[in-house]
Amino acid sequence: NRLWGSATAPLRSVLISTETRRAQQHQRGIMARSLTGGSFGVQGMLKEGTKHMSGLEEATFKNIDAAKQLSSCVRTSLGPNGMNKMVINHLDKLFITSDSATIVNELEVQHPAAKLLVMASKMQESEVGDGTNFVVVLAGELLIQAEELLKNGLHISEVIGGYNTALAKALEVLETLVTHSASMSVLKSPTELAEAIKPVIAAKQWGNEDLFASKIAEACVLAMPENPAAFNVDNVRVAKIIGNAVSGTTVVKGLCLTRSVLGTIHEVRDAKIVVYGVPVDSSTTETKGTVLLKSAEELKAYNNSEEDALEKTIKAIAATGANVLVCGQSIGELAMHFVEKYKMMVLKVPSKFELRRLCRTTGANNLVRLEPPAPEDLGTCKHVYLKEIGSTWCTIFDQEADNSKTATIVVRGSSMNIMEDVERAIEDGVNVVKSMTKDARFVPGAGAAELLLADALQQYGEAQPGLDQYAIQKFGLSLEVVPRTLAENSGLDATNIVAQMYAAHKAGSTSVGIDIVEGTTKDCGVLDLLVTKKEALKLATDAAVTVLRVDQIIMAKQATLERSVLVPKGYIKVHAVETANPTVHFAVVNTP
């Protein structure tokens, strides 16, 4: 034993030191797991409940799939034969429209990648007012083609580089496709302006494009200032009055308010208008006070003093020459009596937007105190009168001049949904007129410009060295989605239509597009605004590239809030989940 003990002493010390190290490592592991919530890697670094996805399969392809779903949803609404979507939002409001800006806005998209396409569409709407569907459809097609390249082995940076190169080349080629440049005199001619915006209206209201294009052009010419660059789209207002058909839509010089007057005076010529943003009634003191009345005579004198003060104010207002009083808030009965006594027309306009338009139309200032206006605060209008349109009484401020600052398009229709869709088409047309004041160059429409760009980019890609050429060719191929979709939505054979268009373009007829009436290809004289195409190409490419640049998705745990709610027999602990949806969901988690 002594020999064995002396011989194994070094071995025992090694075993003891090994056990000690194992115990220390185990202790450190327990401590690390306690600090990281029991997991290692990225999950251990982040807060508990956080989701982490990375790589092509988990992040990139999932983002592309979400964008594809949104693109395919609005793709069937592209063009004159585009289908309507019935959308019911969280407030139970019904939308029936083919306008993609409205569709994507009311869908309440939650996926972050799809939201990028929604934001690009909104930016196109605010910048140009048209081409929102083109942005979403093209961005979705670019991502579909990029997915194919990534599965074939190309790196994301090569795809992004190719797309950026293709965009620069596309914008360069697009400048050479201009076939018509409108002069500034077009903005003063209703007939020529109607021809320019007709393709935009046809894409939204097919069959009624002649009617609405002429009405929009008439209203825009009425509201066009001497300097067209200063044209304000808010000066062309839309008033919706239910009844009749859409063919009963008319244009009113000046401002048309869909509300009646309050008094008995229904018409004023050479009106001087005073606008108040405060209630027209007896003034109240800013501080509370107590009045001690000792007799009936004192009470009567007190009431009479209030009436005298209000009458004095109204009389002073009438003495300035004002004969139309517009109030943004309430009008008291006593004040109404004195206004009628001094022969003034009274109108209540609770909407601050309408009040602002009224001030801009008449040149009046919105006063915030009930006092006589200064001469520069008074607005003027040639003729203010009440008119019944359908069964609705409307107050019309008519300047009776060809250069009126404001024009109103009175839209008629059998239902509110129809009139709202017409209103969206009118807004798009007015926005295109605004874009024409900056750049009035046009390129071939009906899918011709996109196919010319597709052909030019595919030829350009074949001549490029390196792997970028594949992405450039796919960018060109993506642009074919517009003529293909137009053909599919019209019930035509997309492959044959695109082949016929390519053949016509090679033969020199570069303006040949899709004739959806006869179901063939020919030069229909359809033109699209150059600015619309340029902005749409930029925004669609930026959205697609932004989605492709994402290689990791890190989602934090949704915020929660716990509260204790008192009840007669104790309390309950309530768990409230705060979400993007305005509705907050409550669940009882403890009832002691």
Side-chain angles (χ1 to χ4, degrees):
N1 287 337
R2 284 197 302 271
L3 289 172
W4 173 252
S6 61
T8 58
L11 181 60
R12 284 202 307 274
S13 63
V14 170
L15 290 173
I16 291 169
S17 62
T18 303
E19 290 294 331
T20 304
R21 281 198 301 273
R22 285 177 179 171
Q24 291 172 348
Q25 289 173 356
H26 179 66
Q27 192 66 28
R28 284 197 295 269
I30 293 173
M31 185 180 296
R33 278 193 293 274
S34 66
L35 290 173
T36 60
S39 57
F40 293 97
V42 177
Q43 292 294 340
M45 177 187 70
L46 300 173
K47 193 175 180 180
E48 184 182 357
T50 302
K51 295 180 181 178
H52 174 257
M53 293 167 281
S54 63
L56 286 177
E57 292 294 337
E58 287 190 348
T60 308
F61 290 159
K62 283 186 177 179
N63 285 342
I64 291 174
D65 185 61
K68 282 195 302 186
Q69 296 300 324
L70 179 64
S71 176
S72 63
C73 178
V74 300
R75 183 173 171 176
T76 54
S77 297
L78 183 68
N81 284 333
M83 304 300 289
N84 286 342
K85 301 287 185 276
M86 183 181 289
V87 182
I88 303 171
N89 66 5
H90 64 280
L91 298 174
D92 280 342
K93 182 172 173 58
L94 175 65
F95 295 87
I96 302 176
T97 180
S98 61
D99 180 41
S100 66
T102 305
I103 294 169
V104 299
N105 191 41
E106 297 300 332
L107 282 180
E108 295 181 0
V109 176
Q110 292 297 316
H111 196 283
K115 273 186 177 179
L116 290 172
L117 270 64
V118 174
M119 287 189 283
S121 176
K122 287 181 179 178
M123 186 57 66
Q124 177 76 3
E125 177 78 6
S126 62
E127 288 290 326
V128 184
D130 187 35
T132 52
N133 206 328
F134 178 40
V135 171
V136 179
V137 170
L138 179 58
E141 190 67 18
L142 287 171
L143 290 171
I144 292 172
Q145 300 296 337
E147 183 180 20
E148 186 178 334
L149 291 173
L150 294 174
K151 287 181 177 178
N152 288 338
L154 260 71
H155 194 268
I156 290 179
S157 61
E158 293 165 343
V159 177
I160 292 173
Y163 275 6
N164 287 330
T165 304
L167 174 63
K169 181 64 177 177
L171 295 176
E172 180 186 329
V173 174
L174 197 60
E175 296 282 345
T176 65
L177 299 181
V178 174
T179 57
H180 175 65
S181 295
S183 62
M184 287 295 104
S185 62
V186 171
L187 300 173
K188 300 290 185 180
S189 170
T191 307
E192 295 180 17
L193 189 58
E195 288 296 322
I197 64 175
K198 192 181 294 183
V200 178
I201 309 303
K204 307 288 190 304
Q205 291 288 325
W206 175 242
N208 294 321
E209 65 272 13
D210 291 324
L211 169 68
F212 292 124
S214 62
K215 300 301 180 186
I216 294 168
E218 182 184 348
C220 289
V221 169
L222 285 173
M224 188 69 64
E226 290 298 324
N227 179 17
F231 176 69
N232 187 356
V233 295
D234 199 38
N235 286 345
V236 178
R237 186 179 175 271
V238 177
K240 302 185 290 290
I241 299 176
I242 200 163
N244 206 334
V246 290
S247 57
T249 300
T250 56
V251 176
V252 175
K253 294 178 184 177
L255 186 65
C256 175
L257 300 177
T258 55
R259 59 184 72 252
S260 180
V261 296
L262 296 181
T264 58
I265 301 173
H266 295 166
E267 184 176 10
V268 175
R269 284 198 171 272
D270 297 322
K272 288 189 176 181
I273 302 162
V274 58
V275 179
Y276 289 105
V278 293
V280 178
D281 205 348
S282 300
S283 58
T284 57
T285 57
E286 294 182 0
T287 58
K288 291 183 179 180
T290 303
V291 179
L292 181 61
L293 302 173
K294 297 180 180 179
S295 64
E297 288 76 13
E298 289 183 359
L299 177 60
K300 186 176 180 181
Y302 180 76
N303 287 335
N304 290 339
S305 66
E306 277 194 328
E307 293 181 12
D308 293 342
L310 184 57
E311 183 178 7
K312 183 180 178 182
T313 303
I314 301 296
K315 184 178 180 181
I317 293 171
T320 62
N323 49 14
V324 176
L325 189 147
V326 180
C327 181
Q329 297 188 34
S330 62
I331 301 176
E333 292 183 3
L334 188 60
M336 192 70 208
H337 165 71
F338 290 124
V339 169
E340 285 283 305
K341 179 180 177 181
Y342 291 101
K343 305 297 181 183
M344 286 193 287
M345 178 188 279
V346 189
L347 179 66
K348 182 181 176 182
V349 183
S351 169
K352 62 180 180 180
F353 301 106
E354 287 187 345
L355 205 62
R356 194 180 304 157
R357 289 192 189 99
L358 177 61
C359 290
R360 189 165 52 243
T361 303
T362 60
N365 291 328
N366 190 354
L367 303 179
V368 294
R369 294 183 64 183
L370 188 60
E371 58 186 12
E376 59 271 15
D377 293 330
L378 288 173
T380 57
C381 186
K382 195 71 176 175
H383 191 195
V384 181
Y385 61 98
L386 201 62
K387 181 180 179 181
E388 186 178 12
I389 302 176
S391 58
T392 304
W393 285 100
C394 301
T395 306
I396 297 175
F397 292 78
D398 190 356
Q399 296 288 3
E400 295 184 351
D402 291 336
N403 58 347
S404 174
K405 295 179 183 178
T406 308
T408 305
I409 301 175
V410 181
V411 176
R412 307 301 306 278
S414 58
S415 70
M416 191 56 70
N417 285 321
I418 291 174
M419 291 191 293
E420 286 176 350
D421 205 28
V422 170
E423 182 182 14
R424 285 187 281 268
I426 290 173
E427 287 175 354
D428 286 351
V430 174
N431 279 309
V432 168
V433 174
K434 173 66 175 175
S435 299
M436 285 179 63
T437 61
K438 301 175 184 176
D439 188 352
R441 290 179 294 169
F442 291 85
V443 295
E450 288 81 6
L451 212 60
L452 289 167
L453 285 176
D455 187 29
L457 287 176
Q458 290 182 65
Q459 292 181 14
Y460 176 72
E462 291 173 358
Q464 297 303 305
L467 296 175
D468 287 359
Q469 62 175 307
Y470 298 108
I472 296 172
Q473 290 176 9
K474 289 294 185 183
F475 192 103
L477 196 61
S478 300
L479 287 167
E480 288 186 4
V481 71
V482 175
R484 285 185 181 278
T485 305
L486 289 174
E488 289 169 1
N489 291 347
S490 302
L492 307 176
D493 187 345
T495 305
N496 287 339
I497 291 292
V498 170
Q500 291 173 22
M501 289 176 66
Y502 268 128
H505 293 169
K506 293 293 184 182
S509 303
T510 56
S511 297
V512 170
I514 302 174
D515 183 357
I516 62 172
V517 177
E518 298 182 6
T520 182
T521 58
K522 71 174 185 180
D523 184 0
C524 305
V526 177
L527 297 174
D528 288 337
L529 199 61
L530 175 66
V531 178
T532 304
K533 298 292 183 190
K534 287 173 68 174
E535 291 296 326
L537 283 171
K538 291 177 188 176
L539 290 169
T541 308
D542 286 347
V545 167
T546 305
V547 172
L548 290 174
R549 283 191 187 277
V550 176
D551 69 334
Q552 291 190 17
I553 303 173
I554 303 166
M555 298 172 62
K557 186 180 179 181
Q558 208 165 27
T560 59
L561 179 67
E562 287 189 1
R563 291 180 182 173
S564 296
V565 181
L566 291 174
V567 294
K569 294 184 179 180
Y571 72 92
I572 57 173
K573 188 175 286 184
V574 176
H575 184 67
V577 181
E578 296 177 353
T579 64
N581 194 309
T583 307
V584 180
H585 304 281
F586 291 92
V588 178
V589 295
N590 188 18
T591 54

